[in-house]
């Protein structure tokens, strides 16, 4: 395997990991505030559809991104209304959002485009272009660093860079700002926040809004940057895998990033070894290759890497005690 | 006449005379929770720079009152004045803005955060943490110097002993500029040594002009550390005293009350054989604290033994041991032929089969499943018996009939077997429990607080039923914090204090004054 081969695998790792990173950061912000966010999958799917539909109708990927974020925030607010305002069961509410997204995207898709739930294939102008960073051409001839810059760092779409930036941003927000201190406190001990005279519901709603924004970007990436349009169930469990990566990363941004990249690497690697005969075992059946990332999720989560301690108040609605 | 915040030492004098403006004035505070009046037109005035105690039994309304003061609840009516100015406190943020700090019974600390982060929470001093953290560190050093409250700002809360966690709570309040500090049952989690240190801290705070409100049900603490004291009972403010001019006995009397005299038709019986002998029971809780020390009692057929005492002195633990809920550690129970000790335990079901009925103190948590229907509650603990029909399955028709019978005989209103237990008033809930337990004609009854939260009519009915059981030859242990109830029903009266039996006297020799002395821990004078 050459340096270029390795770079190409890492390059596709990053692209595959992008929706995972964004969704996992969304989940992290939400769960650090004490709200279980199993609805990541639904938000991802709905915003992917919204982005593609809007881009198809207006021809603008940016309009698609804005609407995707809007739809994702609306779903987050429905979750918040059920779980924060009415102290509902958070898992149920999240699953309801997933089912809603799964059905609604197809229904609205058929109504708008009459293509069996898909959106029309998006032309190049209605998608996020690859961005060539300065030096991607002039530096490309340098040994080692040249290909690294040109192949791996440069040439991604905007959402990929947003995903990479979201990790330090979330870390900074949670561990360096007043808002972050309060947000983490409300996930551990909401009564302490309440007794400090700070509104518990408003903090949790704000956490969900941030989660909605991040999820919306992930959805737009799927259908208007990575893909060229929306297809049914195109989120394909990525929201759940992001949730798994978040738990595997123990609700800590950098560990979660590592987990997302690991899952991304497994999937990118799997795509790479498809059809390639390996020494000793020969060619691996495509079905086996495709389930690898999912098997890895199960195995890694089965407690291989020590116990993960979730925020103490996760999943528990806050009620002033009598 | 004005006061300066740093005025050294207290000068409480007679309540309400030696200061211009009270730190706190509450007028006519009333708070209802559904049908329960938690605070009934409560008035309170506290002088600045003093330690003021509020004492009362569990459920007397102390915690509700200070929760209103701290903005956790809003009063239905009444007014709050802080330092002479009307203070409409609707939220905790309002209370903090008025210089009120509160140390809760259960600490409001984030266990995974450091001391510094906990103290900053809600008073961060800016959108970024960095500047506020430096300022808070400096402030902590100042507080440490002024009040001798040392703490490592970088220690993680869950790794600190409770005494230090409590110190963090106090620092949190002071950091926000609290001039009035409310402490809700602060010593419940402390060891005696920690308690002494804690009281020194309170005196130090008073030196600095902080007004302290101490909520407790422990007389010792009131006498040791407060300047003035208010007594609450059943949601009402009973009276205010200057601590140096009152006595434990007077306060105990005020706490338990002797206002209503209860009339029960007494039935004279000849006490029979010993049905249950309690011999040398000593019991330690999970923390290794002795809750019961060398308890010995005899329960006799056709005889009521009343167990008096301020609540929290070991009565609940004793009931748990006698009913089989908690295992015996040291000492033994002799029940007829059976001996129950450390090696031979009996669980509550076996106890029940041996003819022991238990009416728990905590009706809502131990006697009833509140969301269940009355007919389901009427068979709790007796699912194997004829109450649920003849077969292996629960027979709804039989349960319905059984419940109707109980309700008719014990005058439970409304007589609706399908109504969930939560839908009945306290008195009718208790009648249902009593009916369930009495109906099996037990040989021994363990009764805890039979009339807590029960209206006057219900009290008379329940007392008459207990008396009737005695006449039928049942051996009865009656645990109550109501002295009137004990005096009305019991044949012999034992008094508990700090996990010990202080003494046992026949009813004829008992009066409120003597029992009050014993409840305060003074040994029975022969």
């Amino acid at each position: 395997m050459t340096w270029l081969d390795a770079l190409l695998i890492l390059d596709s790792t990053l692209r595959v990991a992008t929706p995972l990173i964004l969704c996992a950061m969304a989940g992290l912000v939400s769960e650090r505030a004490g709200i279980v966010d199993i609805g990541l999958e639904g938000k991802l799917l709905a915003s992917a559809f919204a982005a593609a539909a809007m881009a198809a109708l207006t021809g603008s990927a940016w309009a698609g991104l804005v609407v995707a974020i809007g739809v994702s925030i609306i779903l987050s607010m429905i979750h918040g209304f059920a779980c924060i305002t009415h102290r509902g069961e958070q898992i149920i509410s999240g699953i309801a959002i997933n089912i809603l997204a799964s059905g609604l995207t197809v229904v609205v898709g058929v109504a708008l485009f009459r293509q069996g739930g898909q959106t029309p294939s998006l032309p190049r102008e209605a998608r996020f272009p690859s961005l060539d960073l300065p030096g991607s051409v002039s530096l490309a001839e340098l040994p080692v660093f040249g290909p690294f810059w040109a192949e791996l760092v440069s040439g991604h779409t905007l959402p990929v860079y947003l995903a990479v930036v979201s990790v330090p941003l979330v870390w900074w927000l949670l561990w360096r700002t007043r808002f972050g201190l309060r947000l983490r406190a409300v996930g551990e001990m909401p009564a302490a926040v309440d007794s400090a005279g700070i509104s518990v519901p408003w903090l949790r709603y704000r956490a969900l809004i941030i989660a909605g924004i991040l999820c919306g970007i992930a959805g737009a990436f799927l259908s208007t940057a990575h893909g060229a349009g929306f297809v049914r169930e195109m989120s394909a469990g990525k929201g759940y895998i992001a949730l798994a990566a978040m738990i595997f990363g123990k609700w800590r941004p950098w560990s979660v990033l590592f987990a997302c990249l690991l899952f991304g690497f497994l999937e990118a690697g799997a795509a790479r070894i498809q059809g390639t005969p390996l020494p000793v075992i020969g060619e691996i059946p495509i079905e086996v290759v495709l389930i690898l990332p999912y098997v890895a999720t199960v195995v890694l989560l089965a407690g291989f890497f020590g116990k993960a301690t979730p925020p103490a108040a996760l999943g528990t609605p806050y009620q002033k005690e009598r | 006449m004005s006061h300066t915040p740093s005025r050294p030492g207290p000068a409480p004098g007679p309540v309400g005379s030696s200061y211009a403006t009270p730190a706190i004035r509450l007028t006519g505070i009333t708070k209802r929770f559904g049908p329960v009046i938690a605070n009934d037109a409560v008035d309170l005035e506290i002088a600045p720079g003093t330690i003021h105690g509020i004492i009362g039994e569990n459920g007397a309304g102390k915690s509700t009152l200070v929760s209103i003061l701290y903005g956790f609840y809003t009063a239905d009516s009444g007014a709050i004045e802080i330092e002479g100015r009307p203070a409409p406190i609707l939220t905790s943020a309002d209370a903090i803005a008025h210089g009120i700090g509160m140390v809760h019974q259960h600490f409001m600390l984030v266990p995974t955060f450091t001391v510094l982060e906990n103290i900053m929470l809600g008073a961060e001093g800016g959108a970024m943490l960095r500047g506020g953290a430096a300022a808070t560190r400096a402030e902590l050093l100042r507080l440490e110097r002024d009040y001798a409250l040392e703490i490592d700002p970088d220690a993680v809360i869950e790794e600190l002993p409770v005494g230090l966690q409590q110190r963090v709570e106090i620092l949190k309040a002071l950091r926000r500029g609290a001039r009035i500090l409310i402490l809700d049952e602060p010593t419940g989690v402390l060891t005696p040594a920690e308690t002494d240190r804690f009281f020194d801290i309170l005196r130090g705070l008073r030196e600095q002009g902080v007004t302290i409100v101490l909520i407790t049900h422990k007389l010792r603490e009131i006498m040791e550390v407060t300047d003035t004291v208010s007594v609450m009972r059943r949601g009402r403010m009973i009276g205010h005293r200057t601590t140096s001019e009152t006595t434990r006995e007077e306060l105990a009397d005020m706490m338990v009350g002797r206002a209503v005299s209860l009339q029960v038709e007494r039935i004279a019986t000849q006490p029979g054989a010993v049905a249950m002998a309690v011999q040398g029971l000593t019991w330690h809780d999970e923390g290794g604290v002795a809750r019961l020390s060398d308890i010995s009692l005899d329960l006799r057929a056709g005889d009521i033994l009343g167990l008096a005492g301020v609540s929290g002195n070991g009565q609940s633990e004793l009931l748990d041991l006698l009913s089989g809920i908690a295992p015996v550690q040291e000492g033994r129970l002799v029940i007829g032929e059976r001996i129950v000790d450390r090696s031979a335990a009996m669980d509550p079901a076996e106890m029940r089969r041996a003819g022991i009925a238990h009416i728990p103190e905590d009706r809502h948590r131990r006697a009833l499943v509140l969301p269940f229907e009355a007919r389901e509650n009427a068979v709790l603990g007796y699912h194997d018996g004829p109450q649920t029909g003849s077969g292996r399955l629960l027979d709804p028709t039989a349960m319905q009939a059984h419940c109707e019978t109980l309700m008719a005989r014990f005058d439970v209103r409304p007589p609706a077997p399908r109504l969930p237990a939560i839908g009945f008033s306290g008195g009718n809930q208790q009648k249902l429990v009593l009916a369930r337990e009495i109906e099996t004609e037990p040989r021994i009854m363990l009764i805890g607080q039979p009339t807590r939260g029960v209206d006057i009519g219900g009290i008379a009915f329940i007392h008459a039923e207990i008396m009737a059981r005695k006449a039928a030859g049942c051996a009865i242990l009656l645990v109550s914090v109501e002295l009137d109830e004990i005096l009305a029903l019991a044949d012999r009266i034992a008094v508990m204090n700090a996990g010990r039996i202080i003494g046992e006297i026949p009813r004829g020799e008992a009066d409120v004054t003597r029992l009050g002395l014993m409840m305060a821990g003074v040994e029975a004078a022969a």
Side-chain angles (χ1 to χ4, degrees):
Chain A
M1 187 187 280
T2 64
W3 176 228
L4 193 61
D5 284 339
L7 285 179
L8 287 176
I9 291 190
L10 291 179
D11 184 60
S12 57
T13 293
L14 188 57
R15 251 179 292 125
V16 173
T18 291
L20 300 184
I21 296 170
L22 286 165
C23 283
M25 289 302 132
L28 191 149
V29 171
S30 161
E31 299 216 343
R32 276 283 181 176
I35 305 286
V36 178
D37 204 357
I38 208 167
L40 288 174
E41 176 76 9
K43 281 183 269 186
L44 181 65
L45 186 67
S47 53
F49 172 78
M54 195 64 189
L57 293 173
T58 65
S60 162
W62 285 95
L65 178 66
V66 169
V67 172
I69 289 174
V71 165
S72 178
I73 290 177
I74 289 170
L75 289 180
S76 262
M77 293 301 95
I78 293 174
H79 189 47
F81 186 67
C83 312
I84 302 171
T85 306
H86 290 289
R87 296 189 279 272
E89 168 55 51
Q90 301 174 0
I91 304 268
I92 306 282
S93 163
I95 290 176
I97 283 171
N98 291 345
I99 295 170
L100 182 72
S102 169
L104 214 54
T105 48
V106 176
V107 170
V108 178
V110 169
L112 281 179
F113 304 108
R114 310 204 179 283
Q115 293 185 13
Q118 300 192 5
T119 60
S121 195
L122 295 174
R124 176 174 288 273
E125 315 80 66
R127 298 171 52 199
F128 281 101
S130 299
L131 301 173
D132 288 320
L133 298 185
S136 57
V137 178
S138 57
L139 296 176
E141 299 310 314
L142 288 178
V144 186
F145 179 76
F148 168 77
W149 186 262
E151 293 298 333
L152 182 58
V153 180
S154 178
H156 292 290
T157 53
L158 177 72
V160 177
Y161 295 113
L162 289 179
V164 172
V165 172
S166 75
V167 178
L169 210 60
V170 164
W171 173 84
W172 176 82
L173 186 69
L174 260 55
W175 274 271
R176 285 293 177 272
T177 70
R178 172 175 65 192
F179 172 70
L181 182 78
R182 293 175 173 185
L183 185 142
R184 285 183 294 128
V186 89
E188 295 282 348
M189 179 88 187
V193 174
D194 194 11
S195 102
I198 306 161
S199 162
V200 171
W202 174 224
L203 260 175
R204 290 186 160 169
Y205 268 112
R206 278 183 289 173
L208 284 184
I209 291 172
I210 294 172
I213 294 170
L214 291 168
C215 248
I217 300 173
F221 169 79
L222 282 187
S223 62
T224 61
H226 191 59
F230 177 83
V231 289
R232 300 172 77 145
E233 303 296 339
M234 82 180 302
S235 53
K238 287 189 177 64
Y240 296 118
I241 294 183
L243 205 63
M246 181 200 67
I247 295 168
F248 178 46
K250 298 181 179 164
W251 291 268
R252 289 198 283 261
W254 295 105
S255 310
V256 171
L257 171 67
F258 167 77
C260 290
L261 289 174
L262 181 67
F263 287 132
F265 177 76
L266 287 170
E267 201 173 324
R272 207 85 194 146
I273 57 174
Q274 265 178 51
T276 323
L278 292 181
V280 188
I281 38 178
E283 195 170 315
I284 302 174
I286 185 161
E287 291 82 3
V288 173
V289 170
L290 286 178
I291 64 167
L292 266 181
Y294 302 92
V295 172
T297 308
V298 173
V299 170
L300 288 176
L301 282 181
F304 257 94
F305 288 85
K307 193 173 157 352
T309 314
L314 185 59
T316 328
Y318 178 64
Q319 187 157 27
K320 285 187 189 205
E321 58 186 305
R322 168 55 242 277
Chain B
M1 178 180 159
S2 68
H3 72 277
T4 53
S6 58
R7 179 174 53 127
V15 179
S17 69
S18 68
Y19 52 92
T21 315
I24 302 170
R25 178 185 282 145
L26 304 179
T27 330
I29 297 286
T30 297
K31 177 71 180 171
R32 286 186 185 79
F33 293 106
V36 182
I37 300 184
N39 283 165
D40 189 358
V42 170
D43 295 332
L44 178 65
E45 197 172 302
I46 299 176
T50 61
I51 302 179
H52 183 92
I54 300 180
I55 192 164
E57 296 269 42
N58 295 331
K62 318 180 291 277
S63 286
T64 305
L65 187 66
V66 291
S67 293
I68 289 169
L69 190 50
Y70 192 64
F72 256 41
Y73 304 135
T74 313
D76 298 333
S77 60
I80 304 175
E81 267 179 49
I82 302 297
E83 289 163 351
R85 283 187 303 276
I89 293 174
L90 301 176
T91 66
S92 299
D94 294 341
I96 293 167
H98 280 98
I100 299 173
M102 177 146 179
V103 176
H104 298 265
Q105 195 171 0
H106 306 287
F107 299 149
M108 295 294 176
L109 297 171
V110 182
T112 53
F113 279 17
T114 63
V115 170
L116 189 70
E117 287 174 317
N118 267 291
I119 289 175
M120 286 177 72
L121 185 65
E124 296 86 349
M128 298 301 124
L129 290 182
R130 189 192 298 246
T136 307
R137 272 178 201 278
E139 180 70 7
L140 274 179
L141 281 176
R142 186 188 71 75
L143 292 171
E144 186 173 322
R145 208 174 47 238
D146 288 358
Y147 301 103
L149 292 169
E150 286 145 37
I151 198 89
D152 171 12
D154 298 309
V156 175
I157 292 296
E158 60 192 355
E159 289 163 10
L160 291 177
V162 284
L164 285 182
Q165 292 186 16
Q166 188 170 55
R167 185 173 296 188
V168 175
E169 283 277 41
I170 294 172
L171 284 165
K172 219 167 85 176
L174 294 175
R175 166 78 176 104
R176 281 152 210 212
R179 299 177 305 280
I180 296 167
L181 196 57
I182 305 167
L183 302 143
D184 190 3
E185 301 280 0
T187 59
V189 292
L190 301 183
T191 64
E194 281 176 326
T195 303
D196 289 342
R197 290 249 299 286
F198 173 71
F199 286 165
D200 286 340
I201 289 171
L202 293 192
R203 292 185 191 105
L205 290 170
R206 177 178 62 189
E207 296 288 308
Q208 301 288 326
V210 177
T211 306
I212 294 169
V213 184
L214 177 72
I215 310 299
T216 184
H217 63 266
K218 295 178 186 162
L219 283 165
R220 189 184 74 84
E221 298 178 350
I222 292 290
M223 300 310 290
E224 193 172 329
V225 77
T226 65
D227 301 312
T228 48
V229 55
S230 301
V231 183
M232 290 189 74
R233 168 160 41 93
R234 294 193 164 185
R236 289 170 185 274
M237 190 58 84
I238 299 302
H240 311 281
R241 296 287 184 275
T242 300
T243 309
S244 57
E245 293 166 7
T246 186
T247 59
R248 283 173 172 231
E249 292 72 35
E250 185 189 18
L251 292 178
D253 271 2
M254 290 166 75
M255 276 169 76
V256 295
R258 48 175 160 176
V260 189
S261 126
L262 296 164
Q263 297 296 323
V264 185
E265 187 94 7
R266 290 188 70 88
I267 302 172
T269 49
Q270 198 60 40
V274 174
M276 181 195 262
V278 179
Q279 298 174 348
L281 280 189
T282 295
W283 195 78
H284 297 265
D285 67 11
E286 284 167 9
V289 178
R291 295 293 178 186
L292 296 174
S293 305
D294 195 24
I295 303 282
S296 295
L297 297 167
D298 284 338
L299 304 186
R300 293 174 178 278
D303 179 75
I304 298 177
L305 173 63
L307 191 60
V310 176
S311 69
N313 276 289
Q315 301 97 313
S316 306
E317 289 81 356
L318 183 62
L319 279 177
D320 280 359
L321 284 178
L322 300 191
S323 60
I325 292 170
V328 173
Q329 292 172 346
E330 288 169 48
R332 60 182 196 170
L333 309 176
V334 184
I335 305 162
E337 302 289 298
R338 290 222 29 191
I339 291 177
V340 178
D341 59 16
R342 192 188 188 92
S343 56
M346 264 172 93
D347 66 28
E350 288 177 86
M351 290 282 192
R352 207 174 287 124
R353 280 196 291 277
I356 301 173
H358 177 208
I359 291 159
E361 290 180 301
D362 190 340
R363 183 158 64 230
H364 289 175
R365 286 175 55 206
R366 286 191 160 170
L368 295 168
V369 183
L370 289 177
F372 280 20
E373 293 172 1
R375 59 179 188 172
E376 292 170 315
N377 274 294
V379 299
L380 284 186
Y382 301 99
H383 296 109
D384 295 336
Q387 292 93 333
T388 57
S390 52
R392 300 288 300 167
L393 302 175
L394 297 183
D395 176 355
T397 321
M399 284 164 62
Q400 180 89 12
H402 172 248
C403 192
E404 278 167 1
T405 314
L406 292 188
M407 287 178 149
R409 188 164 112 52
F410 279 79
D411 189 30
V412 178
R413 279 177 273 182
R418 301 292 302 267
L419 187 68
I422 199 165
F424 292 86
S425 71
N428 284 298
Q429 287 176 351
Q430 186 70 330
K431 282 196 249 175
L432 186 65
V433 174
L434 206 66
R436 177 180 78 204
E437 301 300 333
I438 285 181
E439 189 244 4
T440 61
E441 304 198 337
R443 293 189 305 116
I444 302 169
M445 289 186 77
L446 310 170
I447 305 176
Q449 318 296 351
T451 56
R452 179 177 282 173
V454 174
D455 56 283
I456 298 289
I459 291 174
F461 187 92
I462 289 168
H463 284 178
E465 283 298 331
I466 293 174
M467 196 54 81
R469 286 322 298 162
K470 179 186 92 154
C474 185
I476 296 174
L477 175 69
L478 172 72
V479 177
S480 176
V481 295
E482 305 288 342
L483 274 186
D484 296 324
E485 182 163 83
I486 298 262
L487 284 167
L489 292 175
D491 298 297
R492 294 172 293 141
I493 299 170
V495 180
M496 277 190 90
N497 179 285
R500 293 175 182 281
I501 299 285
I502 294 297
E504 186 185 313
I505 50 179
R507 174 180 180 267
E509 296 173 21
D511 58 49
V512 171
T513 310
R514 185 167 176 196
L515 290 177
L517 278 169
M518 290 167 76
M519 285 163 70
V522 182
E523 301 283 335

